[in-house]
Amino acid sequence: MMGVLVILPLLIPLFAAIFCLLSWKNINGQRMIVLAGSFLLLVGSAFLLREVWLHGIQVMQIGNWPAPFGITLVADLLSAGLLLTTSLLGIFVFIFSIPNINLERKEYGFYPILMFLLFGISGALLAGDIFNLYVWFEVMLMSSFVLLSLGGTKNQLEGSVKYLVINFLASSIFLAGIGVIYGLTGSLNMAQISLLLPEIADKGLVTLAAIFFLVGFGIKAGLFPLFFWLPAAYHTPPSAITAIIGGLLTKVGVYVLVRFFTLIFFSEVPYLQPYLFVIAGLTMFVGVFGAIAQNDFRKILSFSIISQIGYMIMGLAIHTPLAIAAVVYFIIHNMLVKTNLFLISGVVYAAAGSFKLKKLGSIYAKFPFIAFLFIISAFSLTGVPPLSGFWAKFLLIKAAVASNYFIIVGVALVVSALSIIYITKIWNEVFWKKAPDGEGSEKIFYNQTSFLRLNRLLILPVVLLTIIIVAMGFYAEPFLDFSVQAAEQLFNRDNYIKVILRK
Amino acid sequence: MNTLIVRTAIKILTPLFLIFSVYLLFRGHNEPGGGFIGGLIAAMPLTFHAMIYGARETKKMFKINTMVLIALGLLISASSGLVSIFEGQPFMSSLWADFYLPIFGKPGTPIMFDIGVYILVVGIVLRITLNLSEE
């Protein structure tokens, strides 16, 4: 029965989705199924992480075909850690979605698609084979496309068409990269490729493949020149959908870049490093300036995703174990914080009926508790000590200083300071200033207690996520320890290859 | 499309299509065929029916809930992979029973997977065509 834990994070959402389809007309039934499914997924990925932590990398060879020939599922610390974060966010977003998603969207299959999305993300995190990874990305792309366009409002369709077209382009570039790799090594198994690639004589083609993957996943992660689809699409659907897509999908792109550049293209890093630094710096700057310029709560947050992705790529470019550890911590921190901020924007929408900064206001005066929840996540995002964002940025900058990359340190610090501007902007416009007269539906709720009682399912996941974010900052040591171990495992390629190929 | 020739032809062709699709389904393990192509061919007569009589008539006549077909197909396929887990082998390992059924041959998990795919494909093709032609 070894390795069953590895397949559980795939089977649980798949079967939950199937049972949801079977009870297509019964929305309450679907809700119970998704509740059970996301809870089991959380338990399953927690056990998987425990197993990986205690006994090292876990492998399952699908169909009992040995490694380089069959499909391999691999769970190491990085993928198991991200899987646990994903399933945690899955259950929170599910709770949030009960009141947040309207009945029409639920009747058109919100719940099964949510499960298929988690299925795709789990698959992408566990795939040990590049073609299989491509398939999981398609599963993710399809389900996220349906989620983004579900409901079919004009804005949503406009955003999701951009999303779909640009992501298809990214997928085809990724597929071209797979083709080059397969042509060079004759293998699709990541461990086997990692073993064979250093022996390839034609280094130019290896670099070409690396650039194909960098561009393909760069688009999916929202890197500098090709990020424009992200803010165009992410602010259109209901908040629960924005939260799960904005919180998770771009980070899966970063995860794959980390995986590829530590396992497969490690020899290409010195050559690509200057480009990666330039991309990272520009991504940070463009993201932060874009965020400052926007006048919509969720558009600001969408641009801020881009700026945060820049930090992760900076860590990838430094490429020391400490820097990769910082990236691991940063990804987990960012998944939690960004999802939470999007959820809070949904709570504000429920309270005041708008996402437009112009129409919002007085949230602090009327609902100080929401403002309090926001400010914790916002401080964590900008990196105020001792919250989680501080440790993430501190580790990154420590790693950069240790390797003498002072320019990028300067850029990171300046961008970090600039990010205070957009947070202040949200704070001023949404929470602090007096609400404009006669706008929105905020007059329904005269006091905070009645609002909180009526919307407890919206508040509960935000509160729980905030507690986790605070814990990740104040009690950072186990998380940091985990990130360092995960990074060490990523750099210990021989062990990874040995476990998978049984050599 | 509703002409005498087409109507008569489809009446004769429907059983042929269905039999041929099942033949392809069972042939699929070692030779060209399989659940996917079988499912497509099985969906063809129903698609023709919808083209001739209209999607509403087809739904009334065949009383098919396409969503149940899709879910059922997925369930059968996914469960076929589970069998091997309970035998202590990795997900989707092929297992065969140690007895023969007349005509059918040796039942095993690969054919279970293919039957799931067959049902799933019929469900999806019908859902798409029926929904589109209802517009």
Short mmCIF file of all heavy atoms in Angstrom, two decimals, chain B residues 59-112:
data_model
loop_
_atom_site.label_atom_id
_atom_site.label_comp_id
_atom_site.label_asym_id
_atom_site.label_seq_id
_atom_site.Cartn_x
_atom_site.Cartn_y
_atom_site.Cartn_z
N LYS B 59 -34.58 14.00 -27.03
CA LYS B 59 -34.55 13.91 -25.57
C LYS B 59 -35.77 13.15 -25.07
O LYS B 59 -35.68 12.31 -24.17
CB LYS B 59 -34.53 15.30 -24.94
CG LYS B 59 -33.14 15.86 -24.79
CD LYS B 59 -33.20 17.18 -24.04
CE LYS B 59 -31.81 17.80 -23.91
NZ LYS B 59 -31.89 19.20 -23.49
N LYS B 60 -36.93 13.44 -25.68
CA LYS B 60 -38.16 12.79 -25.24
C LYS B 60 -38.11 11.30 -25.53
O LYS B 60 -38.48 10.47 -24.72
CB LYS B 60 -39.36 13.43 -25.96
CG LYS B 60 -40.56 13.66 -25.06
CD LYS B 60 -41.73 14.16 -25.84
CE LYS B 60 -41.69 15.67 -26.07
NZ LYS B 60 -42.74 16.12 -27.02
N MET B 61 -37.59 10.97 -26.73
CA MET B 61 -37.64 9.58 -27.17
C MET B 61 -36.64 8.71 -26.39
O MET B 61 -36.98 7.61 -25.98
CB MET B 61 -37.34 9.52 -28.66
CG MET B 61 -37.51 8.14 -29.20
SD MET B 61 -37.69 8.21 -30.98
CE MET B 61 -37.47 6.50 -31.36
N PHE B 62 -35.44 9.21 -26.22
CA PHE B 62 -34.41 8.35 -25.61
C PHE B 62 -34.31 8.52 -24.10
O PHE B 62 -33.65 7.74 -23.43
CB PHE B 62 -33.05 8.59 -26.26
CG PHE B 62 -32.99 8.11 -27.68
CD1 PHE B 62 -33.25 8.98 -28.73
CD2 PHE B 62 -32.73 6.78 -27.95
CE1 PHE B 62 -33.22 8.52 -30.03
CE2 PHE B 62 -32.69 6.33 -29.25
CZ PHE B 62 -32.94 7.21 -30.30
N LYS B 63 -34.93 9.57 -23.58
CA LYS B 63 -34.94 9.80 -22.13
C LYS B 63 -33.55 9.68 -21.51
O LYS B 63 -33.33 8.98 -20.53
CB LYS B 63 -35.89 8.82 -21.43
CG LYS B 63 -37.33 9.01 -21.80
CD LYS B 63 -38.26 8.59 -20.67
CE LYS B 63 -39.68 8.97 -20.99
NZ LYS B 63 -40.17 8.47 -22.30
N ILE B 64 -32.58 10.35 -22.15
CA ILE B 64 -31.22 10.27 -21.65
C ILE B 64 -30.90 11.51 -20.86
O ILE B 64 -31.14 12.63 -21.32
CB ILE B 64 -30.21 10.18 -22.82
CG1 ILE B 64 -30.52 8.96 -23.66
CG2 ILE B 64 -28.80 10.08 -22.29
CD1 ILE B 64 -29.77 9.00 -24.96
N ASN B 65 -30.37 11.33 -19.66
CA ASN B 65 -29.82 12.47 -18.94
C ASN B 65 -28.32 12.47 -19.20
O ASN B 65 -27.57 11.65 -18.68
CB ASN B 65 -30.13 12.32 -17.45
CG ASN B 65 -29.69 13.53 -16.67
OD1 ASN B 65 -28.88 14.32 -17.16
ND2 ASN B 65 -30.21 13.67 -15.48
N THR B 66 -27.88 13.39 -20.05
CA THR B 66 -26.46 13.36 -20.47
C THR B 66 -25.52 13.56 -19.30
O THR B 66 -24.43 12.98 -19.27
CB THR B 66 -26.21 14.45 -21.52
OG1 THR B 66 -26.82 15.64 -21.09
CG2 THR B 66 -26.76 14.04 -22.86
N MET B 67 -25.92 14.38 -18.32
CA MET B 67 -25.02 14.61 -17.19
C MET B 67 -24.79 13.33 -16.41
O MET B 67 -23.68 13.07 -15.95
CB MET B 67 -25.63 15.69 -16.29
CG MET B 67 -24.69 16.26 -15.28
SD MET B 67 -23.10 16.76 -15.96
CE MET B 67 -23.48 18.39 -16.52
N VAL B 68 -25.85 12.51 -16.27
CA VAL B 68 -25.68 11.23 -15.57
C VAL B 68 -24.73 10.33 -16.36
O VAL B 68 -23.87 9.66 -15.78
CB VAL B 68 -27.05 10.56 -15.36
CG1 VAL B 68 -26.86 9.15 -14.84
CG2 VAL B 68 -27.88 11.36 -14.39
N LEU B 69 -24.87 10.34 -17.70
CA LEU B 69 -23.95 9.54 -18.52
C LEU B 69 -22.50 9.96 -18.29
O LEU B 69 -21.61 9.13 -18.10
CB LEU B 69 -24.29 9.70 -20.00
CG LEU B 69 -25.43 8.88 -20.56
CD1 LEU B 69 -25.53 9.10 -22.06
CD2 LEU B 69 -25.24 7.41 -20.27
N ILE B 70 -22.28 11.29 -18.31
CA ILE B 70 -20.91 11.80 -18.14
C ILE B 70 -20.37 11.36 -16.78
O ILE B 70 -19.26 10.83 -16.66
CB ILE B 70 -20.91 13.34 -18.26
CG1 ILE B 70 -21.24 13.76 -19.70
CG2 ILE B 70 -19.58 13.91 -17.83
CD1 ILE B 70 -21.45 15.24 -19.87
N ALA B 71 -21.18 11.59 -15.74
CA ALA B 71 -20.71 11.26 -14.39
C ALA B 71 -20.48 9.76 -14.24
O ALA B 71 -19.48 9.32 -13.67
CB ALA B 71 -21.73 11.75 -13.36
N LEU B 72 -21.41 8.98 -14.81
CA LEU B 72 -21.30 7.53 -14.70
C LEU B 72 -20.04 7.03 -15.41
O LEU B 72 -19.29 6.20 -14.87
CB LEU B 72 -22.54 6.90 -15.34
CG LEU B 72 -22.92 5.50 -14.86
CD1 LEU B 72 -23.34 5.58 -13.41
CD2 LEU B 72 -24.04 4.94 -15.72
N GLY B 73 -19.80 7.57 -16.59
CA GLY B 73 -18.61 7.18 -17.33
C GLY B 73 -17.34 7.48 -16.57
O GLY B 73 -16.45 6.64 -16.43
N LEU B 74 -17.28 8.70 -16.03
CA LEU B 74 -16.11 9.08 -15.23
C LEU B 74 -15.96 8.17 -14.03
O LEU B 74 -14.85 7.74 -13.69
CB LEU B 74 -16.28 10.52 -14.73
CG LEU B 74 -15.71 11.63 -15.59
CD1 LEU B 74 -16.06 12.97 -14.98
CD2 LEU B 74 -14.20 11.50 -15.67
N LEU B 75 -17.10 7.88 -13.40
CA LEU B 75 -17.06 7.05 -12.19
C LEU B 75 -16.51 5.67 -12.50
O LEU B 75 -15.64 5.15 -11.79
CB LEU B 75 -18.46 6.95 -11.60
CG LEU B 75 -18.57 6.25 -10.25
CD1 LEU B 75 -17.86 7.06 -9.19
CD2 LEU B 75 -20.02 6.05 -9.85
N ILE B 76 -17.00 5.06 -13.61
CA ILE B 76 -16.54 3.72 -13.96
C ILE B 76 -15.04 3.74 -14.27
O ILE B 76 -14.27 2.91 -13.79
CB ILE B 76 -17.35 3.18 -15.16
CG1 ILE B 76 -18.80 2.97 -14.74
CG2 ILE B 76 -16.76 1.86 -15.64
CD1 ILE B 76 -19.71 2.61 -15.88
N SER B 77 -14.62 4.73 -15.09
CA SER B 77 -13.20 4.80 -15.45
C SER B 77 -12.32 5.00 -14.23
O SER B 77 -11.31 4.32 -14.05
CB SER B 77 -12.97 5.95 -16.42
OG SER B 77 -13.49 5.63 -17.66
N ALA B 78 -12.71 5.96 -13.37
CA ALA B 78 -11.88 6.25 -12.20
C ALA B 78 -11.86 5.05 -11.25
O ALA B 78 -10.82 4.73 -10.67
CB ALA B 78 -12.39 7.49 -11.49
N SER B 79 -13.02 4.37 -11.13
CA SER B 79 -13.06 3.22 -10.22
C SER B 79 -12.22 2.07 -10.73
O SER B 79 -11.68 1.29 -9.94
CB SER B 79 -14.50 2.75 -10.02
OG SER B 79 -15.31 3.83 -9.70
N SER B 80 -12.09 1.97 -12.05
CA SER B 80 -11.28 0.87 -12.59
C SER B 80 -9.84 1.00 -12.11
O SER B 80 -9.15 0.00 -11.93
CB SER B 80 -11.33 0.88 -14.12
OG SER B 80 -10.47 1.87 -14.63
N GLY B 81 -9.38 2.23 -11.89
CA GLY B 81 -8.04 2.40 -11.36
C GLY B 81 -7.94 2.06 -9.89
O GLY B 81 -6.88 1.68 -9.40
N LEU B 82 -9.07 2.18 -9.20
CA LEU B 82 -9.06 1.94 -7.75
C LEU B 82 -8.89 0.47 -7.41
O LEU B 82 -8.36 0.13 -6.37
CB LEU B 82 -10.37 2.43 -7.13
CG LEU B 82 -10.50 3.92 -6.89
CD1 LEU B 82 -11.80 4.20 -6.17
CD2 LEU B 82 -9.34 4.41 -6.05
N VAL B 83 -9.39 -0.40 -8.32
CA VAL B 83 -9.37 -1.83 -8.03
C VAL B 83 -7.97 -2.27 -7.61
O VAL B 83 -7.78 -2.98 -6.61
CB VAL B 83 -9.84 -2.64 -9.26
CG1 VAL B 83 -9.79 -4.12 -8.97
CG2 VAL B 83 -11.25 -2.21 -9.65
N SER B 84 -6.97 -1.79 -8.38
CA SER B 84 -5.61 -2.26 -8.11
C SER B 84 -5.08 -1.73 -6.78
O SER B 84 -4.23 -2.36 -6.15
CB SER B 84 -4.69 -1.83 -9.24
OG SER B 84 -4.74 -0.43 -9.39
N ILE B 85 -5.59 -0.57 -6.33
CA ILE B 85 -5.13 -0.06 -5.03
C ILE B 85 -5.54 -1.02 -3.92
O ILE B 85 -4.76 -1.31 -3.02
CB ILE B 85 -5.72 1.35 -4.77
CG1 ILE B 85 -5.00 2.35 -5.66
CG2 ILE B 85 -5.57 1.74 -3.31
CD1 ILE B 85 -5.28 3.78 -5.33
N PHE B 86 -6.76 -1.56 -4.04
CA PHE B 86 -7.21 -2.49 -3.00
C PHE B 86 -6.45 -3.82 -3.06
O PHE B 86 -6.40 -4.57 -2.11
CB PHE B 86 -8.72 -2.73 -3.10
CG PHE B 86 -9.50 -1.49 -2.78
CD1 PHE B 86 -10.28 -0.86 -3.73
CD2 PHE B 86 -9.43 -0.93 -1.51
CE1 PHE B 86 -10.97 0.29 -3.44
CE2 PHE B 86 -10.12 0.24 -1.20
CZ PHE B 86 -10.89 0.84 -2.17
N GLU B 87 -5.84 -4.08 -4.22
CA GLU B 87 -5.01 -5.28 -4.34
C GLU B 87 -3.57 -4.98 -3.89
O GLU B 87 -2.69 -5.82 -4.03
CB GLU B 87 -5.00 -5.75 -5.80
CG GLU B 87 -6.33 -6.29 -6.28
CD GLU B 87 -6.60 -7.69 -5.77
OE1 GLU B 87 -5.67 -8.51 -5.79
OE2 GLU B 87 -7.74 -7.95 -5.35
N GLY B 88 -3.33 -3.77 -3.44
CA GLY B 88 -2.00 -3.42 -2.96
C GLY B 88 -1.03 -3.04 -4.05
O GLY B 88 0.18 -3.03 -3.85
N GLN B 89 -1.53 -2.73 -5.24
CA GLN B 89 -0.66 -2.29 -6.33
C GLN B 89 -0.94 -0.83 -6.65
O GLN B 89 -1.95 -0.30 -6.24
CB GLN B 89 -0.90 -3.15 -7.56
CG GLN B 89 -0.42 -4.56 -7.37
CD GLN B 89 -0.42 -5.33 -8.67
OE1 GLN B 89 -0.16 -4.77 -9.71
NE2 GLN B 89 -0.71 -6.60 -8.58
N PRO B 90 -0.01 -0.17 -7.39
CA PRO B 90 -0.26 1.24 -7.69
C PRO B 90 -1.56 1.46 -8.45
O PRO B 90 -2.09 0.54 -9.08
CB PRO B 90 0.94 1.64 -8.55
CG PRO B 90 1.99 0.68 -8.21
CD PRO B 90 1.30 -0.59 -7.86
N PHE B 91 -2.03 2.72 -8.39
CA PHE B 91 -3.25 3.13 -9.08
C PHE B 91 -3.17 2.75 -10.56
O PHE B 91 -2.14 2.91 -11.20
CB PHE B 91 -3.38 4.65 -8.93
CG PHE B 91 -4.63 5.23 -9.51
CD1 PHE B 91 -5.86 4.94 -8.96
CD2 PHE B 91 -4.56 6.09 -10.59
CE1 PHE B 91 -7.01 5.49 -9.48
CE2 PHE B 91 -5.71 6.65 -11.11
CZ PHE B 91 -6.94 6.34 -10.56
N MET B 92 -4.28 2.22 -11.08
CA MET B 92 -4.43 1.91 -12.50
C MET B 92 -3.58 0.76 -13.00
O MET B 92 -3.41 0.60 -14.21
CB MET B 92 -4.14 3.14 -13.36
CG MET B 92 -5.29 4.10 -13.36
SD MET B 92 -5.31 5.12 -14.81
CE MET B 92 -7.02 5.60 -14.82
N SER B 93 -3.02 -0.06 -12.11
CA SER B 93 -2.36 -1.28 -12.59
C SER B 93 -3.43 -2.17 -13.22
O SER B 93 -4.54 -2.27 -12.71
CB SER B 93 -1.72 -2.04 -11.43
OG SER B 93 -0.82 -1.20 -10.77
N SER B 94 -3.06 -2.82 -14.33
CA SER B 94 -4.05 -3.68 -15.00
C SER B 94 -4.18 -5.00 -14.26
O SER B 94 -3.18 -5.65 -13.96
CB SER B 94 -3.62 -3.94 -16.43
OG SER B 94 -3.33 -2.72 -17.05
N LEU B 95 -5.42 -5.36 -13.98
CA LEU B 95 -5.67 -6.64 -13.33
C LEU B 95 -6.72 -7.39 -14.15
O LEU B 95 -7.64 -6.79 -14.68
CB LEU B 95 -6.22 -6.42 -11.91
CG LEU B 95 -5.28 -5.77 -10.90
CD1 LEU B 95 -6.04 -5.47 -9.63
CD2 LEU B 95 -4.10 -6.66 -10.62
N TRP B 96 -6.55 -8.72 -14.25
CA TRP B 96 -7.55 -9.51 -14.96
C TRP B 96 -8.09 -10.59 -14.05
O TRP B 96 -7.36 -11.12 -13.20
CB TRP B 96 -6.93 -10.15 -16.20
CG TRP B 96 -6.86 -9.21 -17.35
CD1 TRP B 96 -7.82 -8.97 -18.27
CD2 TRP B 96 -5.76 -8.35 -17.69
NE1 TRP B 96 -7.40 -8.03 -19.17
CE2 TRP B 96 -6.14 -7.63 -18.85
CE3 TRP B 96 -4.50 -8.12 -17.14
CZ2 TRP B 96 -5.31 -6.70 -19.45
CZ3 TRP B 96 -3.67 -7.20 -17.75
CH2 TRP B 96 -4.08 -6.51 -18.89
N ALA B 97 -9.35 -10.93 -14.25
CA ALA B 97 -9.93 -12.05 -13.52
C ALA B 97 -9.34 -13.35 -14.08
O ALA B 97 -8.86 -13.38 -15.22
CB ALA B 97 -11.45 -12.04 -13.69
N ASP B 98 -9.38 -14.45 -13.29
CA ASP B 98 -8.79 -15.68 -13.80
C ASP B 98 -9.85 -16.63 -14.33
O ASP B 98 -9.73 -17.84 -14.20
CB ASP B 98 -7.91 -16.35 -12.73
CG ASP B 98 -8.57 -16.29 -11.37
OD1 ASP B 98 -9.76 -15.96 -11.33
OD2 ASP B 98 -7.89 -16.58 -10.37
N PHE B 99 -10.92 -16.10 -14.92
CA PHE B 99 -11.89 -16.96 -15.58
C PHE B 99 -12.31 -16.32 -16.90
O PHE B 99 -12.11 -15.13 -17.11
CB PHE B 99 -13.12 -17.19 -14.69
CG PHE B 99 -13.80 -15.92 -14.25
CD1 PHE B 99 -14.77 -15.32 -15.03
CD2 PHE B 99 -13.44 -15.32 -13.05
CE1 PHE B 99 -15.38 -14.14 -14.62
CE2 PHE B 99 -14.03 -14.14 -12.64
CZ PHE B 99 -15.01 -13.55 -13.43
N TYR B 100 -12.86 -17.13 -17.79
CA TYR B 100 -13.31 -16.63 -19.09
C TYR B 100 -14.82 -16.53 -19.11
O TYR B 100 -15.52 -17.40 -18.59
CB TYR B 100 -12.86 -17.56 -20.22
CG TYR B 100 -11.46 -17.29 -20.65
CD1 TYR B 100 -10.39 -17.91 -20.01
CD2 TYR B 100 -11.20 -16.40 -21.70
CE1 TYR B 100 -9.09 -17.66 -20.40
CE2 TYR B 100 -9.90 -16.14 -22.08
CZ TYR B 100 -8.85 -16.76 -21.45
OH TYR B 100 -7.58 -16.50 -21.83
N LEU B 101 -15.33 -15.47 -19.70
CA LEU B 101 -16.76 -15.39 -19.98
C LEU B 101 -16.95 -15.74 -21.44
O LEU B 101 -16.09 -15.41 -22.27
CB LEU B 101 -17.28 -13.97 -19.73
CG LEU B 101 -17.30 -13.48 -18.28
CD1 LEU B 101 -17.77 -12.04 -18.23
CD2 LEU B 101 -18.20 -14.36 -17.45
N PRO B 102 -18.05 -16.41 -21.80
CA PRO B 102 -18.29 -16.68 -23.21
C PRO B 102 -18.40 -15.38 -24.01
O PRO B 102 -18.96 -14.41 -23.50
CB PRO B 102 -19.61 -17.45 -23.20
CG PRO B 102 -20.21 -17.20 -21.86
CD PRO B 102 -19.07 -16.95 -20.93
N ILE B 103 -17.86 -15.37 -25.23
CA ILE B 103 -17.83 -14.23 -26.15
C ILE B 103 -16.96 -13.10 -25.62
O ILE B 103 -16.04 -12.64 -26.27
CB ILE B 103 -19.25 -13.65 -26.46
CG1 ILE B 103 -20.17 -14.76 -26.95
CG2 ILE B 103 -19.16 -12.54 -27.50
CD1 ILE B 103 -21.62 -14.37 -27.01
N PHE B 104 -17.19 -12.67 -24.38
CA PHE B 104 -16.58 -11.48 -23.80
C PHE B 104 -15.08 -11.68 -23.61
O PHE B 104 -14.29 -10.78 -23.88
CB PHE B 104 -17.26 -11.22 -22.46
CG PHE B 104 -16.91 -9.91 -21.83
CD1 PHE B 104 -17.61 -8.77 -22.13
CD2 PHE B 104 -15.87 -9.84 -20.91
CE1 PHE B 104 -17.29 -7.57 -21.55
CE2 PHE B 104 -15.54 -8.64 -20.32
CZ PHE B 104 -16.26 -7.50 -20.65
N GLY B 105 -14.66 -12.86 -23.17
CA GLY B 105 -13.25 -13.10 -22.89
C GLY B 105 -12.97 -12.90 -21.42
O GLY B 105 -13.85 -13.02 -20.58
N LYS B 106 -11.72 -12.53 -21.15
CA LYS B 106 -11.29 -12.40 -19.76
C LYS B 106 -11.61 -10.99 -19.26
O LYS B 106 -11.09 -10.02 -19.78
CB LYS B 106 -9.78 -12.61 -19.73
CG LYS B 106 -9.28 -13.43 -18.58
CD LYS B 106 -7.77 -13.59 -18.75
CE LYS B 106 -7.20 -14.49 -17.70
NZ LYS B 106 -5.74 -14.59 -17.87
N PRO B 107 -12.49 -10.85 -18.27
CA PRO B 107 -12.77 -9.50 -17.79
C PRO B 107 -11.61 -8.94 -16.97
O PRO B 107 -10.93 -9.67 -16.26
CB PRO B 107 -14.02 -9.68 -16.91
CG PRO B 107 -14.03 -11.10 -16.53
CD PRO B 107 -13.27 -11.87 -17.55
N GLY B 108 -11.35 -7.65 -17.13
CA GLY B 108 -10.25 -7.03 -16.39
C GLY B 108 -10.48 -5.54 -16.25
O GLY B 108 -11.46 -4.99 -16.75
N THR B 109 -9.55 -4.87 -15.57
CA THR B 109 -9.75 -3.44 -15.35
C THR B 109 -9.59 -2.60 -16.62
O THR B 109 -10.25 -1.58 -16.73
CB THR B 109 -8.80 -2.91 -14.25
OG1 THR B 109 -7.47 -3.29 -14.59
CG2 THR B 109 -9.18 -3.45 -12.91
N PRO B 110 -8.74 -2.97 -17.61
CA PRO B 110 -8.66 -2.12 -18.81
C PRO B 110 -9.99 -2.00 -19.54
O PRO B 110 -10.34 -0.91 -19.99
CB PRO B 110 -7.61 -2.82 -19.67
CG PRO B 110 -6.77 -3.56 -18.72
CD PRO B 110 -7.71 -4.01 -17.65
N ILE B 111 -10.75 -3.11 -19.64
CA ILE B 111 -12.02 -3.01 -20.36
C ILE B 111 -13.02 -2.19 -19.55
O ILE B 111 -13.82 -1.44 -20.10
CB ILE B 111 -12.58 -4.43 -20.71
CG1 ILE B 111 -13.77 -4.30 -21.66
CG2 ILE B 111 -13.02 -5.18 -19.49
CD1 ILE B 111 -13.44 -3.78 -23.00
N MET B 112 -12.90 -2.27 -18.23
CA MET B 112 -13.76 -1.45 -17.37
C MET B 112 -13.48 0.03 -17.64
O MET B 112 -14.40 0.84 -17.79
CB MET B 112 -13.48 -1.80 -15.92
CG MET B 112 -14.42 -1.18 -14.92
SD MET B 112 -13.97 -1.77 -13.28
CE MET B 112 -14.78 -0.57 -12.27
#
